[in-house]
Amino acid sequence: MTIDGLGRFGVWRAYNLFTPEDAQELEKSGYGTLWLGSSPPADLSTVEPLLDATETINVGTSIVNIWSSPAKQAAESFHRIEARFPGRFLLGVGAGHPEHTGEYRKPYDALVEYLDELDELGVPVERRAVAALGPRVLKLAAERSAGPLPYFVPATHTAQARATLGPDAFIATEHKVVLTDDAQQAHSLADGIVGFYLGLTNYASNLTRLGFTDEELATPGGRVFDAVIAHGNAEQVVAQLNAHLDAGGSHVAIQVLNDDYISVLRTLAPLLNAHS
């Protein structure tokens, strides 16, 4: 795998919700990477069935949680997958959130230690990535991995990350999508999700750095919603996703919140591919 081989657009979904049939459909539609979210366990047993069912699409984790997945086991899984599917897997790791981790300590130091272990265990720098939001961890991700995996961020964050990391860093940003012209339906599908993430310190602090006020962060609607949820018709959604690329992003991992996510991605694909 080269970083360019990940494509301009991928698909983010909980690791246990992708099926081999979905992977085949998404590969045919032109998506470059499947991103396995929601902290897949270190055995990474859901990766091989997706790669086995496809020919060219890549799989990445977004992310393996360093608190619950020992580096040794994650590295063993990486090497197992690499032996069967050379160059098609990217190991994304991250420190998660203090609200969800009882043993949480300084995430930067823990990430450095984890990456040190991956070095010792032979996981190549260019075949791993790191969840990152703030400048310090963005720089760590660029120096010690293929690059950062920002999550729950607007395009303004992508622009700042590019300015921080320079022209050559790989930046793969997740962005959520609701394909509907009905604003009420969009909020019905996404307000709860936005509210959940606003309740996590890392994400709220990051949005504060980007200029959102405490009042705006107190509710899931309004300017925050528009910044982190691409919604509207297909052309409007694609314009919001393309904004990350226009801001200097390398790749956008699309997380569809509509129930029929494959149908939405099939609708978006021709417009996304036209931009690639």
Side-chain angles (χ1 to χ4, degrees), residues 31-111:
Y31 294 97
T33 305
L34 306 178
W35 294 99
L36 277 56
S38 303
S39 298
D43 65 10
L44 297 177
S45 60
T46 58
V47 172
E48 282 115 325
L50 302 177
L51 292 173
D52 194 39
T54 54
E55 296 180 1
T56 60
I57 204 166
N58 301 292
V59 172
T61 52
S62 181
I63 46 79
V64 166
N65 191 305
I66 66 170
W67 308 110
S68 57
S69 297
K72 184 176 186 297
Q73 189 177 5
E76 289 171 350
S77 296
F78 171 86
H79 291 301
R80 184 191 75 238
I81 296 165
E82 175 66 11
R84 287 194 61 196
F85 303 97
R88 293 180 61 196
F89 176 66
L90 183 72
L91 178 65
V93 304
H97 306 281
E99 292 87 352
H100 297 161
T101 306
E103 60 174 314
Y104 203 84
R105 56 189 174 87
K106 289 184 178 180
Y108 186 89
D109 294 343
L111 276 170

Side-chain angles (χ1 to χ4, degrees), residues 263-276:
S263 177
V264 169
L265 291 165
R266 191 184 298 122
T267 298
L268 298 178
L271 299 173
L272 294 169
N273 291 334
H275 186 88
S276 298

